Amino acid sequence: MDLRHLVVDALSQNKKAAMLLGGAGVAVLGLGLGYKYLRKTEKVFRVGVVSQLLIHPLKSGKAVSLALAECQKTGLKFGELQDRHWLVVSEDGHMVTGRQEPRLVLVSLTCEGAHVCLNGPNMEELRFPVKTPDNAVINCRVFSADIQGRDCGDEASRWLTRYLGEEKTFRLVHFEEQMRGRRPMESKPQFPQFEVAFSDEAPVMLLSESSVNDLSSKLEKDVTVERFRPSIVVSDCEAYSEDSWEEIQIGSVRLQRVMSCGRCLFTTVDPETGVINRKEPLETLKSYRLCDPSETHIYKKSPLFGQLHAVKKTGILQVGDVVYKISR
């Protein structure tokens, strides 16, 4: 079994083994795979380096930082953790995010073995099985689309309701592999079509450190990449250069740009405190990152920050991988 298959096997079975492989040998993958998977008619240009890989298992919850991850069609995965595969909903099944409940950004959802671990400030850790086949499947409403989710049980519901301190009842649902995903671009046939779980618009969001640093230079208080919830963070490039990367190769993974990421009120939630100020950095972004007038029918008045990608070819991603822009 070659190293690449060992990594995939480790990712699906054992977190510690995967981390050891990531530190000891996976760097070899990035050296050659970027060229191995290129077609003869393609040219490549080195545009940056992966500096962070972030999975947000719970939509609007805290990020999990990883040294390596699988990049699947529906986003990043590490063992049982999959990006935006858990969702808080109201009793009638409508999604609840940090826009309505800012303190959700302080909730950590991780997995140990076959159990989910929920943690939050001033809360005792709650553990429950990842797989709960006897629990009900709920029809959830995510934006304007319906999608299924497996209810995670009454204990998880009581935990979230107690944490959020509301009179309303909240429930936690899990998107499972056999369920049908959402097609967020269905109403936009000009864009690539794909399925996601509970992500807003695309399986992968990419952002450069230099873009965040440039924004911080315009603010009274610096912001971090965590505020913008990317999947892949890239260093060693100029600010906003990611806007022009229509197709990129990272190791064996091929990503296709879908559109820019239009930003909303959620950017004004501080990921360290869970406090929403409803103004910055959104207002500053609006001052210089609005779309071209020809694209207002797509983005309206949302400022653009980061790029949304579809996954053309799955594979393993690792911090330190070189990012190549593809040209034909």
Side-chain angles (χ1 to χ4, degrees):
M1 184 180 291
D2 64 23
L3 181 59
R4 185 161 167 260
H5 287 94
L6 280 171
V7 174
V8 174
D9 185 61
L11 280 167
S12 62
Q13 295 184 38
N14 188 295
K15 181 175 180 180
K16 290 183 179 178
M19 287 298 189
L20 288 172
L21 280 169
V26 183
V28 177
L29 289 171
L31 299 177
L33 288 178
Y35 289 104
K36 178 180 177 182
Y37 291 91
L38 293 171
R39 303 180 186 92
K40 291 183 179 179
T41 56
E42 295 175 337
K43 296 180 180 179
V44 297
F45 302 91
R46 184 188 187 280
V47 291
V49 176
V50 175
S51 60
Q52 291 187 61
L53 295 171
L54 300 170
I55 290 182
H56 300 83
L58 173 65
K59 187 175 180 69
S60 289
K62 187 174 288 189
V64 177
S65 180
L66 297 168
L68 71 159
E70 292 179 72
C71 186
Q72 299 189 330
K73 290 289 186 179
T74 55
L76 300 193
K77 180 179 186 293
F78 189 97
E80 295 290 351
L81 291 179
Q82 293 184 266
D83 195 70
R84 276 91 170 182
H85 272 53
W86 280 265
L87 174 72
V88 177
V89 296
S90 58
E91 280 192 287
D92 60 2
H94 281 76
M95 73 170 181
V96 177
T97 72
R99 300 170 184 87
Q100 300 88 34
E101 300 291 341
R103 292 181 70 243
L104 272 178
V105 301
L106 304 179
V107 175
S108 169
L109 189 153
T110 56
C111 290
E112 288 188 12
H115 285 81
V116 174
C117 306
L118 268 184
N119 283 280
N122 303 313
M123 297 290 291
E124 288 188 11
E125 180 178 79
L126 175 67
R127 293 190 175 214
F128 56 89
V130 174
K131 297 180 180 179
T132 52
D134 295 332
N135 287 5
V137 173
I138 295 175
N139 288 320
C140 307
R141 192 73 172 173
V142 177
F143 295 108
S144 58
D146 291 324
I147 184 172
Q148 291 183 326
R150 178 82 65 181
D151 190 279
C152 293
D154 291 339
E155 279 192 287
S157 175
R158 286 192 289 268
W159 192 98
L160 284 166
T161 301
R162 188 163 62 251
Y163 171 73
L164 292 173
E166 298 281 351
E167 295 180 0
K168 297 176 288 184
T169 298
F170 299 95
R171 301 200 73 85
L172 182 67
V173 297
H174 180 212
F175 181 84
E176 298 176 338
E177 189 175 1
Q178 76 278 7
M179 294 175 177
R180 183 180 178 183
R182 287 170 46 246
R183 294 177 63 85
M185 295 292 124
E186 205 160 35
S187 62
K188 303 172 183 176
Q190 70 270 38
F191 295 116
Q193 299 299 305
F194 45 80
E195 290 187 353
V196 297
F198 302 133
S199 301
D200 282 11
E201 292 180 304
V204 173
M205 202 282 277
L206 182 147
L207 181 64
S208 72
E209 289 181 357
S210 53
S211 297
V212 177
N213 292 338
D214 182 72
L215 171 60
S216 287
S217 71
K218 306 175 192 300
L219 299 168
E220 290 184 8
K221 182 180 179 181
D222 289 352
V223 289
T224 63
V225 294
E226 285 77 13
R227 184 178 290 251
F228 305 100
R229 312 182 71 77
S231 313
I232 302 173
V233 182
V234 179
S235 62
D236 198 23
C237 62
E238 294 184 1
Y240 314 110
S241 59
E242 65 267 32
D243 296 357
S244 65
W245 304 344
E246 292 298 323
E247 191 168 345
I248 57 175
Q249 185 92 26
I250 309 173
S252 61
V253 175
R254 180 70 65 98
L255 301 176
Q256 174 70 55
R257 178 183 175 274
V258 178
M259 59 190 293
S260 298
C261 187
R263 295 303 179 166
C264 68
L265 192 67
F266 196 13
T267 59
T268 70
V269 177
D270 188 328
E272 297 298 323
T273 64
V275 174
I276 186 169
N277 68 54
R278 300 185 178 275
K279 184 177 180 181
E280 293 294 2
L282 191 60
E283 291 302 314
T284 296
L285 281 171
K286 286 180 179 180
S287 72
Y288 76 109
R289 289 292 294 174
L290 292 178
C291 69
D292 185 275
S294 65
E295 295 183 318
T296 52
H297 64 290
I298 299 172
Y299 302 109
K300 299 180 173 58
K301 295 182 179 180
S302 298
L304 312 181
F305 199 65
Q307 298 298 317
L308 299 172
H309 288 260
V311 181
K312 291 185 70 175
K313 183 170 175 40
T314 61
I316 300 295
L317 294 173
Q318 180 189 329
V319 170
D321 279 346
V322 175
V323 182
Y324 296 99
K325 177 182 176 181
I326 308 301
S327 178
R328 294 183 177 87

